[in-house]
Amino acid sequence: MLRGPSWRRLLPDIYVHVDGYRENDHRMWCDAVALTLPAGAAISGLSAAFLWGVDLLPRASPVFVTLPAPARRRSTRRVSVDQRSFSAREITRFAGLPVTTGVRTAFDLGRQLPRTDALVAVDALLHRRVVKLPALGSYLDTHNGWPGTAQLREVLALAEPLSESPMETRLRLVLHDAGLPPLTAQHDVYGIHAQRGRVFLGRRPRLSPVANRHRVRG
């Protein structure tokens, strides 16, 4: 039966029915890879972020996993392996799969990805409330000196939970690097008839005492 047309082989001894097969369905590949993971391993990195609801994966991305030091497994086109041990509190079950916690996922992406991509990932995880900024800062303080933590500290100083898209984060970073003063994300703007609008990035004006007491026209 497995050699017939009704089944597709994903990994050694892992098959899916042809009706459920999608070449670039990352969740399907996460489900398949999870069946092969030893105790203490977890789906991590960009794949963990995907399961937490933040999809920043390139097309046909491998599943990113972290294995404890005693385990041995080579990276392939479908599975990218990192070798490191987690504590029990850094792994949780999400939708039945072993995955790094929200704070550990943000910690890893914020220090391992290139600077711009790291800020995009952290902003997105904060916006979806997968992790909160104080919790991530506290976690960083207890892991000071790890590779990439200097970058992560910069990322946390620039992070904005109100950012709603990767391009918004990228634009904000470009403006910051160009020397513009800090901008307010999701800035509310009111018209003379109390119409309310919103701009993605804005700067609150410094109003005079008179303007503070009366609605600003125009």
Side-chain angles (χ1 to χ4, degrees):
M1 286 177 60
L2 294 177
R3 287 194 292 267
S6 296
W7 296 90
R8 295 293 299 269
R9 182 181 182 273
L10 301 180
L11 300 167
D13 298 325
I14 307 294
Y15 293 80
V16 64
H17 193 272
V18 68
D19 291 342
Y21 178 80
R22 301 290 184 274
E23 176 68 21
N24 295 315
D25 183 347
H26 197 72
R27 175 55 198 267
M28 177 194 73
W29 286 104
C30 285
D31 287 338
V33 171
L35 293 172
T36 70
L37 295 180
I43 296 171
S44 58
L46 288 173
S47 293
F50 172 84
L51 293 175
W52 286 116
V54 174
D55 185 2
L56 302 173
L57 291 161
R59 185 176 175 83
S61 172
V63 176
F64 295 91
V65 300
T66 299
L67 272 61
R72 289 291 180 268
R73 181 171 182 169
R74 293 182 179 179
S75 293
T76 67
R77 185 174 68 91
R78 286 298 182 186
V79 185
S80 177
V81 178
D82 185 23
Q83 210 83 36
R84 192 186 323 116
S85 294
F86 289 130
S87 67
R89 66 178 182 274
E90 292 173 318
I91 301 177
T92 188
R93 304 291 297 189
F94 186 87
L97 306 180
V99 59
T100 50
T101 60
V103 68
R104 180 63 199 231
T105 302
F107 174 77
D108 286 340
L109 294 179
R111 65 191 179 89
Q112 292 175 347
L113 293 178
R115 176 174 176 261
T116 299
D117 294 334
L119 182 58
V120 167
V122 170
D123 270 4
L125 290 166
L126 291 171
H127 181 71
R128 287 193 61 87
R129 300 181 181 178
V130 174
V131 63
K132 294 183 178 180
L133 198 53
L136 184 52
S138 297
Y139 190 90
L140 173 58
D141 288 340
T142 62
H143 292 75
N144 197 26
W146 284 42
T149 51
Q151 173 180 279
L152 181 54
R153 289 196 181 279
E154 181 188 5
V155 166
L156 294 190
L158 297 170
E160 174 52 81
L162 293 178
S163 289
E164 295 182 342
S165 71
M167 289 309 298
E168 185 178 334
T169 296
R170 292 177 185 276
L171 175 59
R172 196 179 79 252
L173 184 58
V174 168
L175 297 176
H176 168 81
D177 289 347
L180 269 69
L183 300 174
T184 301
Q186 318 312 329
H187 180 54
D188 289 333
V189 179
Y190 296 89
I192 58 175
H193 300 297
Q195 307 99 319
R196 180 182 177 184
R198 189 177 71 170
V199 295
F200 292 127
L201 294 171
R203 189 181 181 197
R204 298 187 184 278
R206 293 183 177 179
L207 303 179
S208 67
V210 173
N212 277 326
R213 290 197 299 269
H214 304 283
R215 181 179 297 278
V216 179
R217 301 180 67 85

CSV table of all heavy atoms in Angstrom, one decimal, residues 184-189 197-205:
chain,number,residue,atom,x,y,z
A,184,THR,N,6.0,57.1,16.7
A,184,THR,CA,4.9,56.4,17.3
A,184,THR,C,4.2,55.5,16.4
A,184,THR,O,3.7,55.9,15.3
A,184,THR,CB,3.8,57.3,17.9
A,184,THR,OG1,4.5,58.2,18.9
A,184,THR,CG2,2.7,56.6,18.7
A,185,ALA,N,4.2,54.2,16.7
A,185,ALA,CA,3.4,53.2,15.8
A,185,ALA,C,1.9,53.3,16.0
A,185,ALA,O,1.5,53.6,17.2
A,185,ALA,CB,3.9,51.8,16.1
A,186,GLN,N,1.2,53.2,15.0
A,186,GLN,CA,-0.3,53.3,15.0
A,186,GLN,C,-0.7,54.6,15.7
A,186,GLN,O,-1.4,54.6,16.8
A,186,GLN,CB,-0.9,52.0,15.8
A,186,GLN,CG,-0.3,50.7,15.5
A,186,GLN,CD,-0.1,50.5,14.0
A,186,GLN,OE1,-0.9,50.9,13.2
A,186,GLN,NE2,0.9,49.7,13.6
A,187,HIS,N,-0.3,55.7,15.1
A,187,HIS,CA,-0.6,57.0,15.6
A,187,HIS,C,-2.0,57.5,15.2
A,187,HIS,O,-2.3,57.5,14.0
A,187,HIS,CB,0.5,58.0,15.1
A,187,HIS,CG,0.3,59.4,15.6
A,187,HIS,ND1,0.3,59.7,16.9
A,187,HIS,CD2,0.3,60.5,14.9
A,187,HIS,CE1,0.2,61.0,17.0
A,187,HIS,NE2,0.1,61.5,15.8
A,188,ASP,N,-2.8,57.8,16.2
A,188,ASP,CA,-4.2,58.3,15.9
A,188,ASP,C,-4.1,59.8,15.5
A,188,ASP,O,-3.4,60.6,16.1
A,188,ASP,CB,-5.1,58.2,17.2
A,188,ASP,CG,-5.4,56.7,17.5
A,188,ASP,OD1,-5.4,55.9,16.5
A,188,ASP,OD2,-5.6,56.4,18.6
A,189,VAL,N,-4.9,60.1,14.5
A,189,VAL,CA,-5.0,61.5,14.0
A,189,VAL,C,-6.5,61.8,13.9
A,189,VAL,O,-7.3,61.0,13.4
A,189,VAL,CB,-4.4,61.6,12.5
A,189,VAL,CG1,-4.6,63.0,12.0
A,189,VAL,CG2,-3.0,61.1,12.6
A,197,GLY,N,-8.5,59.0,12.2
A,197,GLY,CA,-7.7,58.2,11.3
A,197,GLY,C,-6.5,57.6,12.0
A,197,GLY,O,-6.3,57.9,13.2
A,198,ARG,N,-5.7,56.8,11.3
A,198,ARG,CA,-4.6,56.2,11.9
A,198,ARG,C,-3.5,56.1,10.9
A,198,ARG,O,-3.7,55.7,9.8
A,198,ARG,CB,-4.9,54.9,12.5
A,198,ARG,CG,-3.7,54.3,13.4
A,198,ARG,CD,-4.1,53.0,14.0
A,198,ARG,NE,-4.2,51.9,13.0
A,198,ARG,CZ,-4.3,50.6,13.2
A,198,ARG,NH1,-4.4,50.2,14.5
A,198,ARG,NH2,-4.4,49.7,12.3
A,199,VAL,N,-2.3,56.5,11.3
A,199,VAL,CA,-1.1,56.3,10.4
A,199,VAL,C,-0.2,55.3,11.1
A,199,VAL,O,-0.2,55.2,12.3
A,199,VAL,CB,-0.4,57.7,10.2
A,199,VAL,CG1,-1.3,58.6,9.4
A,199,VAL,CG2,0.1,58.3,11.5
A,200,PHE,N,0.5,54.6,10.3
A,200,PHE,CA,1.4,53.5,10.8
A,200,PHE,C,2.5,54.1,11.7
A,200,PHE,O,2.9,53.5,12.7
A,200,PHE,CB,1.9,52.6,9.7
A,200,PHE,CG,0.9,51.8,9.0
A,200,PHE,CD1,0.7,51.8,7.7
A,200,PHE,CD2,0.0,51.0,9.8
A,200,PHE,CE1,-0.2,51.1,7.0
A,200,PHE,CE2,-1.0,50.3,9.2
A,200,PHE,CZ,-1.1,50.3,7.8
A,201,LEU,N,3.1,55.2,11.2
A,201,LEU,CA,4.2,55.8,11.9
A,201,LEU,C,4.0,57.3,12.0
A,201,LEU,O,3.7,57.9,11.0
A,201,LEU,CB,5.5,55.5,11.3
A,201,LEU,CG,6.0,54.0,11.2
A,201,LEU,CD1,7.2,53.8,10.4
A,201,LEU,CD2,6.3,53.5,12.7
A,202,GLY,N,4.1,57.9,13.1
A,202,GLY,CA,3.9,59.3,13.3
A,202,GLY,C,4.7,59.8,14.5
A,202,GLY,O,5.2,59.1,15.3
A,203,ARG,N,4.7,61.1,14.6
A,203,ARG,CA,5.4,61.8,15.7
A,203,ARG,C,4.4,62.7,16.3
A,203,ARG,O,3.8,63.6,15.7
A,203,ARG,CB,6.6,62.5,15.3
A,203,ARG,CG,7.4,63.0,16.5
A,203,ARG,CD,8.7,63.8,16.0
A,203,ARG,NE,9.4,64.2,17.2
A,203,ARG,CZ,10.4,65.2,17.1
A,203,ARG,NH1,10.7,65.7,16.0
A,203,ARG,NH2,11.0,65.5,18.2
A,204,ARG,N,4.2,62.6,17.6
A,204,ARG,CA,3.2,63.4,18.3
A,204,ARG,C,3.8,64.9,18.4
A,204,ARG,O,4.9,65.1,18.9
A,204,ARG,CB,2.9,62.9,19.7
A,204,ARG,CG,2.3,61.5,19.7
A,204,ARG,CD,1.9,61.1,21.1
A,204,ARG,NE,1.4,59.8,21.1
A,204,ARG,CZ,0.1,59.4,20.8
A,204,ARG,NH1,-0.7,60.4,20.4
A,204,ARG,NH2,-0.3,58.2,20.8
A,205,PRO,N,3.0,65.9,17.9
A,205,PRO,CA,3.5,67.2,18.0
A,205,PRO,C,3.5,67.8,19.4
A,205,PRO,O,2.8,67.3,20.3
A,205,PRO,CB,2.5,68.0,17.1
A,205,PRO,CG,1.2,67.2,17.3
A,205,PRO,CD,1.7,65.8,17.4
